[in-house]
Amino acid sequence: MLARTELCLRTAAVNCRFQPSLTATNSYHTTIPSKSQSQYPQTSRPRLLTSKKSPSQSTSQIVRYASTTASTDNTASTAQPPSSSADRLTWNAFFKLRKTRRRLQLGSSVGTSFGSMLAGAQALAVSDMDSLVGQVPLDPFITLGLITFSCGGVGWLLGPIVGTGIFNTMNRKYIPDMAAKEVEFYRRVKKFRVDPSASSMANPVPDYYGEKISSVAGYRQWLKDQRAFNKKRTTYVA
């Protein structure tokens, strides 16, 4: 009886040992998933091809862009022409150029006058002027002298034109600014000059056209002279 029972237990143990279902269930629990795998299951996701930059790299890039912009602005500012105040004609320079032009006009008048006199004398010496001299009721030498001096006078009148042309050729870049300054100057002279109808021998008009003004200080002195003239006129009338 005991032997039979032991034989049945051995047979049952052998059958359980070679049963495939028991071995399969045991193999399923052999690998324990990790904590990371259980929380974040592995799935096939497409990856974005983007490069992550560190804060230091982005900061350096921002600084580089800012410096490039600043340098571009500086380059643009330096490429622009300088301030117009440095290139514009000042009042003192205007008066100096005006004095130079007057001297050139005077010198040209002297030169053209002598040249015209010489040309007139040579023309009178070569040509026959008896018929013309005979029509003037004066001595022939006086008549020839008057004709010669008349040629010199014509040359004197042509002198300022020649002097102005020489001056414009020498100072071509200052002509537009000088013309604008001249308009403003004569506008001021016309505005502040005195009334010449109130002049007298004791109180003459002080430089009515402003021709003697050769500097800013001279213009201020001219204004003082105009005020002094008006003060004398009111005092004399009173």
Side-chain angles (χ1 to χ4, degrees), residues 22-124:
L22 296 176
T23 57
T25 55
N26 293 333
S27 63
Y28 179 78
H29 296 286
T30 54
T31 58
I32 301 174
S34 62
K35 185 177 181 180
S36 62
Q37 292 177 355
S38 62
Q39 293 179 356
Y40 305 99
Q42 294 181 358
T43 57
S44 59
R45 295 180 180 178
R47 295 183 179 179
L48 297 177
L49 298 177
T50 57
S51 59
K52 296 182 179 180
K53 296 182 180 181
S54 61
S56 60
Q57 293 179 355
S58 61
T59 306
S60 62
Q61 187 175 5
I62 292 172
V63 172
R64 184 171 64 254
Y65 289 161
S67 63
T68 305
T69 306
S71 62
T72 305
D73 295 338
N74 294 332
T75 304
S77 62
T78 53
Q80 293 178 356
S83 177
S84 61
S85 61
D87 296 336
R88 288 179 59 185
L89 191 67
T90 60
W91 281 107
N92 285 324
F94 164 73
F95 286 123
K96 288 181 180 179
L97 290 174
R98 191 164 174 260
K99 186 187 294 185
T100 303
R101 184 180 62 184
R102 190 181 299 112
R103 290 177 180 176
L104 283 174
Q105 291 174 352
L106 181 60
S108 298
S109 296
V110 173
T112 54
S113 178
F114 277 106
S116 298
M117 289 176 66
L118 291 176
Q122 186 176 4
L124 291 175

Side-chain angles (χ1 to χ4, degrees), residues 192-199 205 208 226 229-230 233:
F192 295 108
R193 65 188 177 186
V194 298
D195 185 10
S197 61
S199 63
V205 177
Y208 184 74
Q226 305 303 310
F229 176 87
N230 291 328
R233 184 187 64 178

Side-chain angles (χ1 to χ4, degrees), residues 91 184-193 219 222:
W91 281 107
E184 179 66 18
F185 172 70
Y186 283 118
R187 186 186 68 80
R188 290 174 179 267
V189 169
K190 185 178 180 180
K191 181 179 179 181
F192 295 108
R193 65 188 177 186
Y219 173 73
W222 179 83

